[in-house]
Amino acid sequence: MPNWIPRFFRAAAIYGLLVLPPAYFQPWPAEHPEAFLGFIGIATTFQLVFWMIASDPSRYRALMPIAVLEKLSFGAPGLLLFAQGRVGTVIAVFATIDLLLGLGFLLAWKATPRD
């Protein structure tokens, strides 16, 4: 197995753990704050899944396509909303980062041998 795979998943987990929790201290949206808080909580929790995959990519290979979906679930809508002029550039940047991470996860899945 290529040695970049565990490092890539671990770096993704660290990135997420640095970027997501501070959102709890930002002003929450007036409508449906529970959706916002739920998103932040679930996304933050998923960083632990990335950390777990990094610990043994071959063993946790089956989780990699799910990790791709996790990244697509924000990246694709974020860029679509940006294209419609409904969100700002900051969202587009984070959505692009998520799509790139998702692509990396997909490449890692293809490069990781099945047990």
Side-chain angles (χ1 to χ4, degrees), residues 6 8-10 12-14 16 43 45-55 63 66-68 70-71 101 105:
F8 188 79
F9 274 95
R10 189 147 293 130
I14 292 168
T45 301
F46 225 92
Q47 306 316 300
L48 303 177
V49 174
F50 303 154
W51 194 271
M52 186 174 70
I53 293 169
S55 72
L63 289 172
I66 297 167
V68 172
E70 189 271 349
K71 291 303 176 189
L101 289 169
F105 292 169

Side-chain angles (χ1 to χ4, degrees), residues 15 49 57 94 97 106:
Y15 162 77
V49 174
F94 285 112
I97 292 169
L106 181 64

Side-chain angles (χ1 to χ4, degrees), residues 22-80:
Y24 281 122
F25 304 103
Q26 300 299 317
W28 301 342
E31 292 187 30
H32 302 292
E34 74 283 359
F36 172 78
L37 295 172
F39 165 77
I40 298 301
I42 290 168
T44 301
T45 301
F46 225 92
Q47 306 316 300
L48 303 177
V49 174
F50 303 154
W51 194 271
M52 186 174 70
I53 293 169
S55 72
D56 192 346
S58 294
R59 180 177 180 191
Y60 297 114
R61 183 179 186 274
L63 289 172
M64 291 181 188
I66 297 167
V68 172
L69 290 175
E70 189 271 349
K71 291 303 176 189
L72 285 174
S73 70
F74 175 73
L79 286 184
L80 180 63

